[in-house]
Amino acid sequence: MGKAKRTGARRQVHKAPAGAFGGPGKTNPNPFEVKVNRQKFQILGRKTRHDVGLPGVSRARAIKKRTQTLLKEYKERNKSNVFTDKRFGEYNSNISPEEKMMKRFALEQQRYHEKKNIYNLNEDEELTHYGQSLADIEKHNDIVDSDSDTEDRGALSAELTASHFGGGVHKNSSQKEGEDGDKPKTRKELIEELIAKSKQEKRERQAQREDALELTEKLDQDWKEIQILLSRKSKKSENKEKKEKPQPDAYDMMVRELGFEMKAQPSNRMKTEEELAKEEQEKLRKLEAERLRRMLGKDEHENKKKPKHTSADDLNDGFILDKDDRRLLSYKDGKMNIEDAQEEQSKGADGQENDQKEEEDESEEEGEDGESCEDPDESDGPDSHSDLESSAETEEEDETPKKEQRQTPGGKSPKEAQKAQKAAAAELPYVFAAPESFEELKFLLSGRSMEEQLLVVERIQKCNHPSLAVGNKAKLEKLFGFLLQYIGDLATDSTPDLKTIDKLVVHLYNLCQMFPESASDAIRFVLRDAMHEMEEMIETKGRAAFPGLDVLIYLKITGLLFPTSDFWHPVVTPALICMSQMLTKCPVTSLRDVVKGLFVCCLFLEYVSLSRRFVPELLNFLLGILYIATPNKKSQGSTLVHPFRALGKNSELLVVSDKADVTTWQRGSLPLHWANRQSTLTATEANHTRLSCVASCLSLLKHCVLMYSALPSFHAIVTPHQALLAEHLARSLPQELQELSRSILSEVESQKQHCPPLICEKSKPVPLKQFTPRLVKVLEFGRKQGSSKEEQERKRLIHKHKREFKGAVREIRKDNQFLARMQLSEIMERDAERKRKVKQLFNSLATQEVD
Amino acid sequence: MERQPASTGSRQELGRLLEAVLSNRGRANAVFDILAVLQSEDPEEIKEGVRTCSRLFGTLLEREELFVGSLPCEDMALAGSQGATYKYKVWMRHRYHSCCNRLEELLTHPSFQVKELALETLMKFVQLEGAKPLEKPQWESHYLFPRTLFRAVVGGLLTPEDDHSLLISQFCEYLEYDDIRYHAMQVATSILARATSRQPEVSLTFWNNAFTLLSAVNLPLQEHELTNFYVKHAQTSSKWKVVHLKEQRKAFQEMWLGFLKHKLPLSLYKKVLVAMHDSILPHLAQPTLMIDFLTSACDVGGAISLLALNGLFILIHKHNLEYPDFYQRLYGLLDPSIFHVKYRARFFHLADLFLSSSHLPAYLVAAFAKRLARLALTAPPEALLMVLPLICNLLRRHPACRVMVHRPQGPELDADPYDPTEKDPARSRALESCLWELQTLQQHYHPEVSRAASVINQALSVPEVSIAPLLELTAYEIFEQDLKKMMPESVPLEFIPAKGLLGRQDDLCTQFFCLS
């Protein structure tokens, strides 16, 4: 049964190609060869194979193939001799007989060449013959050596015999002579060798000398040819030398200076006129874009962080972005104003950079000339300060005279020399070490005028620039903290030196630009101290006193050094909290407190001028100031916020009852040093100060009204102020203040109130987290079951190998059957023949018997 | 008998005198020498004298050598025809009373140690006198307590001249005993009535002493056998009032009503109201009797009104009191100063508690939310960080109020319909309004406040935000948080160069201030 199945499979394998070749042709003539495999049931989707086959035809073809291949091998298995025709190109039909002959001839020629190579080997043997001949010569030398050896032996034997037989003096002398005889021979040979060597050396020396002479002769000939040209060039160089010597050094120096100037000037001009302006504009645009992004973009950063916690916050922050964008767009005029201001400031920046480059040029000149050029620094010092203070126009005017000055450096030199002689007595040292502690800085700056102090600070920065040495960065970082401390000390004096502080702020700005991290740390430290003091007072007494002028100046400096419009800033946001505490926890008990509070209100407005953020404390404080400027009887119903109280000894602090003082008052700025003032004012001065405070309060209120008019609750915010101002008009204020309050009221009334209903922003519903089970394929229906491609590939290869192996085994088995059948037929034939012969023999025998 | 002169200030001398009196009745006159030491100026001698008297009369009480029954007059007893033993006991009891009177006086001695020792001795006498009563029982198991002596002790604590807070705190140890507590309540009630009836004005010290004593009384919460007695008895009887918690509660109620009947100083108002909802109301027999006191306290205003509302809330919540003006009064307490007072955290905690019911009408919750939002326009940032989540929680609890932040089909109004001057929440028209104040606060200068106010831009989530950690927030803490926040990679800088302190032309400081 198994064999039958295998044969069937074999036939099926061969059916397909048979059908492919000529199925319809063969099927038609002999339909009996066709075998049809009937299916028991028709199943949908099952692929039917091997429905029709031609087993007989495939078997016949296989037998024929084996007779042509396997049978021949079987018959010739015992024959070993085979004639192989190895003529080149004999069985290549493409080549013509002539070409064959040509190629055969070429191959023969190659063989001859090879034979010649063989002869070359013989040549090597001849060399060996020469070698042998040379060896023979050497052998002779060896023989000589052997002779010398024999002689030596004889000498020794003689000595031995003499020693054995004793002997007299004569024999001893004879022995000595024998020794001398041996040595001279060797000496002779040595001498001859030496002579030969010396002769050879002499010959070599002569040859070298002759070569050298020839070369020198050639060189002489070449030199003679070029002599004319050399003489001409040398003459020219001599002429130049003659010309240079008598001229003075001063002139040479001037020429060099002119050369350097020529190199420097064009680049400066190009940059200053066109490129610098463009660069500055681009820088400002980038910085402004970054500032706007920080006003809004902090939310983006926070969005990135917050998705880790909750998604609701992300959505909220994202929408904050949109709202901020909209409002900024609505303030296009505001943007335009900002840009205009930036343009003006950019012009100022251009001027400053020009000044810096001029300073650099001057420093270069210093390096070149020496002490004489140090004077321009002193002369330019006040100029640079005036440049900082003056506007762009004055800077433009100043630029031309500086250029003229540059064009005529020679003219200045005698004047500078005179100035140097004059100022030699009171010169400041030019090199300052960076102070390591605040006391050192104080020591350096004490006892000097304002200009000198500024010069000292400037030179400290220049001498300790980070690019000059490694440790300078840390020193200048400390310098920022020391300058802050110094400014605090100046501010806390009874008569604060505000002008020096005003100048030092510029240096703080420069240091802050170089070292932002240390500057922010220093200012945060200062703010923490102030906040800590206020907190201690609040915890003990429930309220705090206004801090000193130093804290107010620190807050002002914070606004100058860092951007105040950011949504969150590591320095500005704590500063805002600090100012909020001042306006809510510090009661107003004196005029000094009013001045300080108004200063903090100004700072708040400056901080939020760009971002236009809402500051409730600011409006509360201004309301309180208006309240204490109104008599109590008239403002009973208004609502006040802490720290102001409706009744008390300070509830009429700013009321002015003297009409004469009201008429004589003129509007002016409030001096900052009043924040530290302890001295008493006259009644008229006090009243004038009160009116100035009220004027500042009204102006600030107008700024707030203009800034917050777009807020949804503007009317709710401003109603208390409006009520107070309406009653305020009845009072006896100066005409200017009455007009100001009327303008504020008209501004408030002109703002129409729009209350669109609040609508939540539409947001896609967040899909709930579904707890679907994780599906893992454990059982896959079908043959191919494997977790990875590699395993599937391996199984497929194993499968192929098995099929091929089975096919091979099947073929081998059929081959063996075929051979067995052939052998059997041969045996049958031989047996039949033998029987026939036996029969013939028996027949012959039988006939013989019959005869 | 002859009086022997005694040298004072010597412990041995006092010991010798004590021994003489106790060993021999004939030498009883030495008691006068012992009592004389109590009149000394030296605190140490007084202390020794007090200890000696404690041992002397303690022993005599144990021996029952003092007269039992109603005490006759000393002179008549001595002149009468009774026996020597009778006369001795009467005389000695009079000395006992002299000693007690002196000890009562010593309760006001400048030295605290003397006060403490006198109090201990008096309480010891109370205990011994209770164990061996000096009165004859009228029936078999009649309850006898030395009320006269105990009244003297409590009277010594409640004096209008001296501050006895420390001594009263010492006395609180005895209030753990059930009988002492009961009788202390009764005695305190009578002393308060007597003190206020005699004098029209009572000093603040007296009120403080009284409050300290009253606030130290703590009744047990559950009914159980009250057998923890300071004066030991052989057996207890259910007929005694002191055994029943109901009777003790009555005494507690009478005590507090007697105290609160009078006009109290403001500081005591606060203290009473702070203790009202925890220590007083749960133990009253009829808590509704406090209505008059609480309603009058509501009219005072400020913190006192808030605390009174807390008491009223408990009555409404647990004792079915109907007080229709409760939320109207709470609404009236919301004014701008609420963010700056010391009790801000307590106020907002209680307000959150009062408004936590889901059965409050929508107009009421809307009125409170609108009022808080309006006040937020004048609040400092530390208060805003607490108020904004509170408003959002109110809207979460009452979905009907969400129209204040999401009114898609609403009309555009010319003015806010909310009336801030209306005192009745029902007529303030808050539900017709929207929380535009929160929209304004989205522009607040502090980023946290701006972020908290932006919550209303999205649909409010269901879970409430806990405001407990935000109640105690101060500006200094916000400042510290901002300082400790992680800094960006590089600190952003101002790119407009500085020209000086007031160097920029467009600065406001430059317009209003100068450097002269």
Side-chain angles (χ1 to χ4, degrees):
Chain A
M1 294 298 290
K3 290 182 180 179
K5 285 184 178 178
R6 288 172 185 173
T7 53
R10 177 171 170 248
R11 291 169 186 173
Q12 289 174 3
V13 166
H14 288 278
K15 284 174 188 176
F21 281 112
K26 292 185 178 180
T27 53
N28 288 329
N30 191 357
F32 292 101
E33 287 182 350
V34 177
K35 181 184 179 184
V36 176
N37 293 322
R38 182 173 65 84
Q39 287 189 357
K40 209 166 193 180
F41 302 102
Q42 292 289 338
I43 297 172
L44 292 175
R46 176 182 282 182
K47 296 179 180 178
T48 57
R49 304 175 187 176
H50 318 301
D51 291 341
V52 178
L54 302 172
V57 173
S58 62
R59 189 185 297 124
R61 188 180 299 112
I63 290 168
K64 184 178 180 182
K65 187 176 180 181
R66 285 197 175 89
T67 51
Q68 290 177 359
T69 57
L70 195 60
L71 187 57
K72 286 185 178 180
E73 291 179 3
Y74 178 74
K75 287 181 178 179
E76 295 175 356
R77 66 184 181 282
N78 292 324
K79 297 177 181 178
S80 62
N81 288 327
V82 177
F83 176 77
T84 57
D85 187 356
K86 291 185 179 180
R87 286 181 291 175
F88 185 81
E90 184 63 24
Y91 296 97
N92 193 346
S93 61
N94 292 326
I95 302 171
S96 63
E98 293 178 356
E99 291 178 357
K100 289 178 184 178
M101 295 299 292
M102 291 293 292
K103 288 190 176 181
R104 287 170 187 170
F105 180 76
L107 288 173
E108 286 179 357
Q109 293 295 324
Q110 287 181 1
R111 290 175 184 177
Y112 289 149
H113 287 291
E114 290 176 359
K115 289 179 181 178
K116 287 182 180 179
N117 289 328
I118 294 165
Y119 294 145
N120 287 329
L121 291 174
N122 293 328
E123 290 177 357
D124 291 337
E125 290 177 357
E126 291 176 356
L127 289 172
T128 55
H129 286 293
Y130 283 123
Q132 288 177 359
S133 64
L134 291 172
D136 292 339
I137 294 166
E138 290 175 0
K139 286 179 180 178
H140 290 296
N141 290 329
D142 292 333
I143 292 163
V144 169
D145 290 334
S146 64
D147 293 340
S148 65
D149 290 335
T150 54
E151 288 178 355
D152 290 334
R153 291 175 182 177
L156 287 172
S157 64
E159 288 177 356
L160 285 172
T161 52
S163 65
H164 284 297
F165 295 105
V169 176
H170 297 287
K171 291 182 178 180
N172 290 328
S173 63
S174 66
Q175 289 177 358
K176 289 180 181 180
E177 288 175 358
E179 291 177 0
D180 292 337
D182 291 334
K183 290 182 179 179
K185 290 181 180 180
T186 57
R187 287 183 179 177
K188 286 180 181 179
E189 291 177 356
L190 289 173
I191 289 163
E192 287 175 358
E193 290 176 357
L194 285 172
I195 290 163
K197 287 181 182 178
S198 65
K199 286 182 178 178
Q200 289 179 358
E201 286 178 0
K202 286 180 181 178
R203 290 171 185 172
E204 288 177 0
R205 288 174 186 172
Q206 288 177 1
Q208 287 178 0
R209 287 175 185 174
E210 289 175 359
D211 293 336
L213 287 172
E214 289 177 358
L215 288 172
T216 50
E217 287 176 358
K218 289 180 181 178
L219 285 173
D220 290 336
Q221 290 176 2
D222 293 337
W223 177 255
K224 287 177 182 178
E225 290 175 359
I226 305 165
Q227 191 174 5
I228 297 167
L229 296 175
L230 288 173
S231 63
R232 291 177 183 176
K233 288 181 181 179
S234 63
K235 288 180 181 178
K236 288 182 180 179
S237 64
E238 288 174 358
N239 290 327
K240 285 185 179 180
E241 289 176 358
K242 290 179 181 178
K243 289 180 181 178
E244 284 178 0
K245 287 180 180 178
Q247 289 182 0
D249 294 336
Y251 185 74
D252 295 336
M253 297 288 286
M254 292 176 70
V255 169
R256 290 177 186 174
E257 290 174 8
L258 287 171
F260 283 112
E261 287 180 0
M262 291 295 292
K263 289 181 182 178
Q265 283 179 1
S267 63
N268 287 333
R269 287 179 180 175
M270 289 296 294
K271 288 185 179 178
T272 51
E273 289 174 0
E274 298 176 357
E275 293 179 7
L276 277 182
K278 291 181 180 178
E279 287 177 3
E280 281 302 311
Q281 286 180 4
E282 287 175 3
K283 282 183 182 178
L284 288 177
R285 286 174 186 172
K286 289 180 181 177
L287 290 170
E288 179 66 14
E290 283 184 4
R291 189 186 65 80
L292 291 176
R293 187 180 53 78
R294 266 186 266 114
M295 277 181 67
L296 318 169
K298 280 291 177 179
D299 301 335
E300 292 176 353
H301 293 292
E302 287 161 356
N303 283 332
K304 292 178 181 178
K305 293 179 181 178
K306 286 192 175 179
K308 297 178 181 178
H309 306 288
T310 50
S311 61
D313 293 338
D314 298 338
L315 296 172
N316 294 329
D317 295 332
F319 286 101
I320 289 171
L321 266 176
D322 296 337
K323 287 198 173 181
D324 289 335
D325 286 329
R326 292 172 187 172
R327 296 191 179 184
L328 284 174
L329 289 174
S330 67
Y331 297 131
K332 289 182 180 178
D333 295 334
K335 279 190 177 179
M336 295 300 296
N337 293 328
I338 292 163
E339 289 174 1
D340 294 335
Q342 287 166 7
E343 287 175 3
E344 294 175 358
Q345 290 163 355
S346 66
K347 289 180 181 178
D350 290 332
Q352 285 186 359
E353 288 192 359
N354 291 327
D355 296 338
Q356 290 174 3
K357 293 194 174 181
E358 290 163 2
E359 289 175 0
E360 290 175 359
D361 297 333
E362 291 165 2
S363 64
E364 289 175 0
E365 291 176 1
E366 285 179 4
E368 295 166 6
D369 297 333
E371 290 184 359
S372 61
C373 290
E374 289 176 359
D375 294 335
D377 268 351
E378 292 181 356
S379 61
D380 289 337
D383 291 340
S384 64
H385 289 293
S386 63
D387 290 336
L388 292 174
E389 293 175 358
S390 64
S391 64
E393 294 177 357
T394 56
E395 286 167 358
E396 289 174 0
E397 291 175 0
D398 289 337
E399 285 176 6
T400 52
K402 289 181 180 177
K403 292 180 181 178
E404 293 173 359
Q405 290 174 2
R406 289 179 183 175
Q407 292 171 4
T408 60
K412 267 193 172 182
S413 58
K415 295 181 180 179
E416 290 174 0
Q418 292 175 4
K419 289 181 181 178
Q421 291 174 3
K422 292 178 182 178
E427 266 193 5
L428 290 170
Y430 286 95
V431 177
F432 286 96
E436 292 291 337
S437 65
F438 175 64
E439 286 74 18
E440 287 186 22
L441 179 68
K442 207 166 184 180
F443 173 75
L444 287 174
L445 298 178
S446 65
R448 298 185 189 280
S449 65
M450 186 181 75
E451 290 79 10
E452 287 177 353
Q453 289 185 17
L454 295 171
L455 267 181
V456 168
V457 173
E458 189 174 348
R459 287 174 183 177
I460 289 170
Q461 293 182 49
K462 287 188 173 180
C463 294
N464 297 276
H465 197 271
S467 59
L468 298 177
V470 175
N472 283 350
K473 184 178 180 182
K475 292 178 182 177
L476 288 187
E477 286 177 356
K478 289 181 183 177
L479 181 63
F480 186 92
F482 300 152
L483 282 179
L484 263 191
Q485 209 169 343
Y486 186 64
I487 285 172
D489 282 10
L490 290 179
T492 50
D493 287 343
S494 57
T495 57
D497 193 353
L498 294 174
K499 292 187 175 179
T500 304
I501 294 170
D502 187 60
K503 304 301 178 187
L504 284 173
V505 166
V506 180
H507 295 290
L508 284 179
Y509 181 86
N510 295 328
L511 286 168
C512 181
Q513 293 287 318
M514 295 164 72
F515 315 111
E517 285 79 18
S518 61
S520 68
D521 287 340
I523 290 186
R524 279 146 50 110
F525 182 79
V526 163
L527 293 178
R528 182 191 270 111
D529 279 355
M531 199 69 179
H532 191 64
E533 287 183 9
M534 283 203 287
E535 186 65 16
E536 283 184 344
M537 282 193 272
I538 288 165
E539 286 179 355
T540 54
K541 301 178 181 177
R543 63 184 181 280
F546 268 98
L549 184 59
D550 53 339
V551 177
L552 302 182
I553 287 175
Y554 287 149
L555 292 166
K556 178 62 180 172
I557 288 168
T558 301
L560 291 171
L561 300 182
F562 300 102
T564 55
S565 60
D566 290 7
F567 186 71
W568 183 85
H569 192 276
V571 183
V572 173
T573 301
L576 288 164
I577 295 290
C578 194
M579 295 196 285
S580 166
Q581 279 285 81
M582 291 178 191
L583 295 185
T584 53
K585 294 291 193 289
C586 302
V588 173
T589 56
S590 63
L591 270 178
R592 187 177 359 133
D593 293 335
V594 174
V595 172
K596 289 179 179 177
L598 288 173
F599 188 79
V600 174
C601 292
C602 283
L603 289 178
F604 253 128
L605 273 173
E606 284 181 8
Y607 274 47
V608 302
S609 60
L610 290 178
S611 57
R612 292 174 175 263
R613 299 204 182 274
F614 178 53
V615 186
E617 293 86 347
L618 173 58
L619 290 154
N620 297 341
F621 192 85
L622 295 178
L623 179 67
I625 295 292
L626 288 181
Y627 183 83
I628 64 177
T630 310
N632 285 336
K633 298 177 182 178
K634 299 183 179 179
S635 58
Q636 276 293 323
S638 61
T639 57
L640 285 177
V641 182
H642 194 273
F644 294 94
R645 292 183 180 177
L647 295 175
K649 62 180 179 179
N650 294 317
S651 61
E652 292 185 346
L653 185 64
L654 296 182
V655 173
V656 178
S657 57
D658 195 343
K659 293 186 179 181
D661 292 337
V662 169
T663 55
T664 56
W665 173 79
Q666 288 184 358
R667 189 170 183 180
S669 301
L670 291 164
L672 257 184
H673 66 266
W674 278 355
N676 273 11
R677 192 156 187 171
Q678 299 290 342
S679 64
T680 56
L681 299 168
T682 61
T684 303
E685 287 177 357
N687 284 330
H688 285 177
T689 307
R690 291 192 179 101
L691 291 171
S692 298
C693 291
V694 174
S696 301
C697 179
L698 290 171
S699 298
L700 291 171
L701 186 58
K702 187 169 185 181
H703 275 274
C704 293
V705 165
L706 294 173
M707 183 185 289
Y708 296 140
S709 57
L711 290 178
S713 303
F714 171 69
H715 281 266
I717 292 162
V718 171
T719 300
H721 306 78
Q722 195 176 6
L724 259 184
L725 286 177
E727 297 171 5
H728 219 61
L729 285 175
R731 285 188 59 252
S732 59
L733 277 178
Q735 192 66 26
E736 187 177 352
L737 296 187
Q738 289 189 16
E739 290 174 1
L740 185 54
S741 57
R742 285 198 201 100
S743 66
I744 293 169
L745 287 172
S746 62
E747 281 282 346
V748 170
E749 290 165 0
S750 66
Q751 292 292 334
K752 294 182 179 179
Q753 192 172 10
H754 297 288
C755 304
L758 294 177
I759 298 171
C760 289
E761 295 172 352
K762 295 181 179 179
S763 61
K764 295 181 179 179
V766 179
L768 296 174
K769 293 183 177 179
Q770 297 181 356
F771 299 97
T772 54
R774 182 185 176 188
L775 298 176
V776 178
K777 293 183 176 180
V778 177
L779 177 64
E780 186 176 353
F781 184 76
R783 290 183 181 180
K784 298 179 180 178
Q785 297 179 7
S787 62
S788 63
K789 292 182 180 179
E790 291 178 0
E791 288 188 6
Q792 290 180 5
E793 185 71 14
R794 183 167 173 275
K795 288 183 178 180
R796 192 166 60 78
L797 290 174
I798 289 169
H799 180 65
K800 280 188 174 181
H801 177 262
K802 282 185 177 181
R803 290 171 66 88
E804 292 295 326
F805 186 79
K806 287 182 179 180
V809 167
R810 192 161 53 242
E811 288 291 325
I812 290 168
R813 190 173 292 111
K814 288 180 178 177
D815 291 344
N816 290 333
Q817 289 175 1
F818 178 77
L819 289 177
R821 204 176 304 119
M822 290 292 126
Q823 290 175 3
L824 183 61
S825 65
E826 287 180 357
I827 291 167
M828 294 291 285
E829 287 178 359
R830 276 190 265 115
D831 288 344
E833 188 174 358
R834 189 177 70 253
K835 284 181 178 180
R836 185 175 60 75
K837 290 181 178 178
V838 168
K839 284 182 178 179
Q840 287 179 0
L841 290 174
F842 277 116
N843 286 332
S844 64
L845 289 175
T847 53
Q848 287 177 3
E849 289 178 353
V850 169
D851 293 339
Chain B
M1 300 177 183
E2 294 179 359
R3 294 185 180 182
Q4 297 180 3
S7 62
T8 62
S10 173
R11 185 179 296 182
Q12 295 177 358
E13 186 66 20
L14 286 172
R16 187 176 60 79
L17 291 172
L18 177 64
E19 192 65 26
V21 172
L22 291 176
S23 62
N24 189 359
R25 285 187 180 180
R27 303 185 64 184
N29 285 328
V31 171
F32 287 108
D33 298 329
I34 296 171
L35 292 177
V37 177
L38 299 180
Q39 306 291 338
S40 173
E41 295 293 335
D42 188 4
E44 294 298 326
E45 290 187 3
I46 292 174
K47 281 196 267 185
E48 289 300 323
V50 170
R51 293 194 188 99
T52 307
C53 290
S54 173
R55 279 178 282 172
L56 172 61
F57 289 107
T59 307
L60 293 178
L61 283 166
E62 289 174 358
R63 293 180 182 177
E64 299 182 2
E65 292 191 2
L66 300 182
F67 179 77
V68 175
S70 62
L71 186 64
C73 183
E74 182 174 4
D75 296 336
M76 293 176 64
L78 292 177
S81 62
Q82 300 293 337
T85 304
Y86 175 85
K87 290 180 182 181
Y88 169 79
K89 287 186 177 183
V90 169
W91 180 84
M92 187 58 75
R93 183 162 173 180
H94 280 287
R95 303 285 82 71
Y96 173 71
H97 281 299
S98 302
C99 178
C100 292
N101 289 332
R102 180 55 187 164
L103 289 174
E104 182 180 344
E105 291 170 7
L106 287 178
L107 290 175
T108 60
H109 196 270
S111 175
F112 178 72
Q113 293 178 352
V114 172
K115 291 183 191 177
E116 190 176 2
L117 194 57
L119 178 65
E120 289 179 4
T121 305
L122 283 167
M123 292 307 295
K124 181 182 175 184
F125 288 168
V126 166
Q127 189 178 28
L128 293 173
E129 191 172 331
K132 303 293 176 70
L134 299 182
E135 296 176 4
K136 295 179 178 179
Q138 298 177 4
W139 55 82
E140 183 177 354
S141 62
H142 181 55
Y143 178 73
L144 293 172
F145 188 81
R147 292 189 182 80
T148 307
L149 180 59
F150 191 67
R151 176 187 296 271
V153 173
V154 176
L157 294 172
L158 302 177
T159 56
E161 295 85 17
D162 298 324
D163 183 9
H164 286 335
S165 56
L166 285 177
L167 200 58
I168 292 167
S169 64
Q170 290 288 328
F171 183 71
C172 293
E173 298 174 4
Y174 300 103
L175 293 174
E176 298 295 327
Y177 299 101
D178 296 327
D179 54 348
I180 295 293
R181 186 192 310 118
Y182 179 75
H183 287 95
M185 290 191 285
Q186 286 188 336
V187 170
T189 306
S190 61
I191 289 173
L192 285 169
R194 183 180 302 174
T196 52
S197 63
R198 286 180 180 177
Q199 305 173 12
E201 294 183 358
V202 185
S203 67
L204 180 63
T205 308
F206 177 79
W207 289 120
N208 283 328
N209 288 334
F211 177 74
T212 308
L213 179 62
L214 267 59
S215 61
V217 176
N218 293 314
L219 288 181
L221 293 174
Q222 295 177 357
E223 181 78 31
H224 65 275
E225 288 294 329
L226 300 176
T227 56
N228 187 18
F229 284 359
Y230 184 66
V231 179
K232 302 302 178 184
H233 292 276
Q235 59 180 357
T236 59
S237 173
S238 62
K239 295 180 181 178
W240 297 349
K241 290 185 176 181
V242 72
V243 174
H244 300 293
L245 181 61
K246 188 194 299 181
E247 297 297 332
Q248 296 219 4
R249 282 190 169 184
K250 279 186 180 179
F252 185 81
Q253 177 172 300
E254 288 172 5
M255 175 179 71
W256 275 110
L257 288 176
F259 179 74
L260 300 175
K261 190 183 302 177
H262 313 287
K263 188 173 183 180
L264 301 173
L266 291 183
S267 59
L268 274 188
Y269 251 109
K270 293 183 179 178
K271 292 180 181 177
V272 170
L273 289 165
V274 166
M276 175 67 71
H277 67 285
D278 282 333
S279 307
I280 298 173
L281 283 179
H283 305 299
L284 293 182
Q286 297 177 1
T288 54
L289 294 175
M290 286 292 176
I291 292 170
D292 292 334
F293 173 73
L294 291 171
T295 51
S296 63
C298 279
D299 299 331
V300 175
I304 293 171
S305 296
L306 171 70
L307 296 167
L309 283 176
N310 190 18
L312 282 172
F313 183 76
I314 292 174
L315 291 179
I316 293 165
H317 184 57
K318 295 184 176 178
H319 301 285
N320 295 323
L321 174 67
E322 186 171 350
Y323 186 66
D325 292 338
F326 179 82
Y327 286 100
Q328 190 168 351
R329 290 185 174 276
L330 181 64
Y331 188 73
L333 288 177
L334 296 174
D335 58 348
S337 65
I338 202 67
F339 300 118
H340 302 277
V341 292
K342 288 184 177 179
Y343 54 91
R344 186 193 80 194
R346 175 179 282 271
F347 177 87
F348 283 102
H349 173 68
L350 291 175
D352 191 36
L353 176 67
F354 298 160
L355 296 166
S356 60
S357 173
S358 60
H359 291 74
L360 293 172
Y363 67 85
L364 186 78
V365 177
F368 274 94
K370 186 67 181 181
R371 182 73 166 224
L372 287 169
R374 186 59 67 91
L375 295 178
L377 294 174
T378 58
E382 66 267 19
L384 286 171
L385 288 175
M386 171 188 57
V387 165
L388 296 175
L390 177 59
I391 293 169
C392 293
N393 283 349
L394 291 179
L395 301 179
R396 289 187 176 106
R397 291 171 193 158
H398 305 277
C401 299
R402 293 190 182 182
V403 295
M404 301 178 77
V405 296
H406 184 56
R407 205 189 291 262
Q409 306 298 330
E412 181 168 335
L413 305 171
D414 292 335
D416 195 344
Y418 174 72
D419 186 359
T421 57
E422 177 61 53
K423 295 186 177 180
D424 188 358
R427 284 179 281 173
S428 61
R429 300 177 64 190
L431 259 180
E432 305 172 21
S433 176
C434 290
L435 291 173
W436 290 292
E437 292 83 3
L438 298 196
Q439 200 177 15
T440 299
L441 288 169
Q442 289 169 14
Q443 292 297 312
H444 196 267
Y445 65 89
H446 198 266
E448 296 292 335
V449 174
S450 177
R451 209 172 289 135
S454 302
V455 169
I456 62 168
N457 288 336
Q458 292 292 319
L460 291 169
S461 58
V462 172
E464 292 185 4
V465 178
S466 173
I467 62 170
L470 301 168
L471 293 170
E472 303 284 350
L473 197 62
T474 61
Y476 188 70
E477 291 172 11
I478 296 173
F479 182 82
E480 287 290 323
Q481 287 173 16
D482 286 329
L483 283 186
K484 293 175 182 175
K485 223 171 188 179
M486 291 299 295
M487 292 171 62
E489 296 175 359
S490 64
V491 183
L493 294 173
E494 179 65 72
F495 53 86
I496 300 168
K499 298 181 180 178
L501 201 63
L502 306 178
R504 293 181 191 170
Q505 298 300 322
D506 56 342
D507 270 358
L508 287 171
C509 291
T510 310
Q511 298 178 26
F512 301 120
F513 293 90
C514 57
L515 297 173
S516 65

